[in-house]
Amino acid sequence: MPARILNGNAIRDQIYSELTGEIATLSSTGIRPGLAAVLVGENPASKIYVSSKIAASEKLGLASINITPPATISTAELLAIVEELNRRDDVDGILVQLPLPAQIDAKKILEAVDPAKDVDGFHPLNVGRLVAGRPNLVACTPLGVMEILRRGEIQIEGANAALLGRSDIVGKPMALLLMHANATVTICHSKTRDLAQTVRRADIVVAALGRPAMVTPDFVRPGATVIDVGINRITDAALAENLFARFPERLASFRAKGSTVVGDVHPDVANVAGALTPVPGGVGPLTIAMLMSNTVRAARLRRGSRIHATARS
């Protein structure tokens, strides 16, 4: 039987509905959570990502601030912008869109963000809290994957989980979240021996390698849950013919547009897995939803004393 589709758009809408109530509660105390996005230069993909984040903020009624310094900005100048946002009381969350231009020291910039406003969850202090099992603000994509698993009623406790990828943004925090949820976690990467055989033992597979359709059916145990984090745009007609040989509608769409987006998981895995996230419409919507959730959480944690004072008056 084809895999059950874990619909990220539907789960995102559930989360937004819950956040609307939280935002209304904060509003009743005179607090409007604010998100500041810093987009350096004119990277087209980054502009799309930031626009979607700002649109989600406005949809939920959050205050949004979009700062767009030129690509020629120096590390010192960008640090000054971050430090100003750290001082602003109307800013609860700060995201610095990656990648940054080559002349910028990206680590220095990310470490300059106030950990209490680090809604991307990249600051070493927030990473350390996650390692210690005392998370505060956690990287959005792994946090979104956990929401998909829990709301999709996928058994995590006691499950064998395999991660393909060990990045700081997805792989490492994902492993920690699954471990804290009592899964047994294997982290796979380019040096892993017998990769397909290792992954095939897993009940839950999270693919985050950035390589189109690398995870083929022989990687997946029948009935396993497969979470596809990859977003890869392809324009090669021969590759599309191969990937969509059993999916005529997707092939027709590719031929009409000349390109399409695929994940790190081969489409044929849908005939083996028990549950699967689609691309697009799977993990992507949850990444933005968790950014919104982190912004509201940051506002609640930063301004908690004022919320309690209002409630008592």
Side-chain angles (χ1 to χ4, degrees), residues 8-286:
N9 289 321
I11 295 171
R12 172 203 59 200
D13 291 345
Q14 293 174 12
I15 292 169
Y16 281 179
S17 178
E18 295 161 9
L19 286 176
T20 298
E22 288 191 57
I23 293 165
T25 299
L26 289 170
S27 179
S28 69
T29 65
I31 294 170
R32 186 186 185 194
L35 174 65
V38 181
L39 172 61
V40 179
E42 299 290 331
N43 182 296
S46 293
K47 289 175 74 172
I48 292 171
Y49 293 148
V50 169
S51 294
S52 62
K53 293 167 183 176
I54 295 297
S57 299
E58 293 173 351
K59 177 181 178 180
L60 289 169
L62 306 182
S64 60
I65 301 159
N66 195 6
I67 299 171
T68 56
T72 54
I73 192 171
S74 68
T75 297
E77 290 168 330
L78 189 52
L79 280 172
I81 291 173
V82 170
E83 288 162 2
E84 170 62 21
L85 293 173
N86 285 341
R87 290 191 292 268
R88 287 182 58 166
D89 192 52
D90 61 332
V91 172
D92 297 290
I94 302 169
L95 73 90
V96 180
Q97 184 64 42
L98 302 177
L100 291 169
Q103 79 276 8
I104 300 292
D105 185 336
K107 286 190 175 182
K108 184 176 287 188
I109 297 300
L110 295 178
E111 290 177 9
V113 175
D114 182 346
K117 298 185 178 187
D118 170 38
V119 287
D120 273 330
F122 295 161
H123 194 282
L125 180 61
N126 285 324
V127 174
R129 290 182 65 88
L130 176 59
V131 171
R134 300 167 55 201
N136 186 4
L137 297 171
V138 177
C140 299
T141 297
L143 203 57
V145 171
M146 294 302 290
E147 290 293 333
I148 290 173
L149 293 173
R150 288 170 176 150
R151 293 175 190 251
E153 299 182 344
I154 304 299
Q155 178 69 33
I156 303 174
E157 185 170 357
N160 291 316
L163 302 182
L164 287 90
R166 53 181 170 178
S167 71
D168 293 341
I169 294 174
V170 179
K172 291 174 185 175
M174 187 79 255
L176 290 163
L177 288 170
L178 286 167
M179 184 178 66
H180 292 323
N182 298 317
T184 299
V185 180
T186 301
I187 302 175
C188 303
H189 45 78
S190 60
K191 305 300 181 184
T192 300
R193 296 177 182 173
D194 302 319
L195 181 60
Q197 183 178 345
T198 299
V199 176
R200 191 177 170 85
R201 292 196 291 267
D203 305 300
I204 299 170
V205 177
V206 181
L209 289 167
R211 296 180 61 182
M214 178 181 171
V215 178
T216 52
D218 60 309
F219 279 69
V220 178
R221 181 181 61 75
T225 297
V226 180
I227 306 294
D228 191 351
V229 180
I231 301 177
N232 310 286
R233 182 166 295 279
I234 62 167
T235 57
D236 185 282
L239 178 58
E241 295 279 350
N242 174 269
L243 294 181
F244 304 131
R246 297 177 180 83
F247 300 86
E249 290 183 2
R250 292 204 66 181
L251 185 56
S253 175
F254 172 85
R255 287 170 175 164
K257 297 177 181 178
S259 68
T260 192
V261 172
V262 299
D264 291 353
V265 176
H266 196 289
D268 287 350
V269 167
N271 297 318
V272 179
L276 174 69
T277 58
V279 177
V283 175
L286 268 298

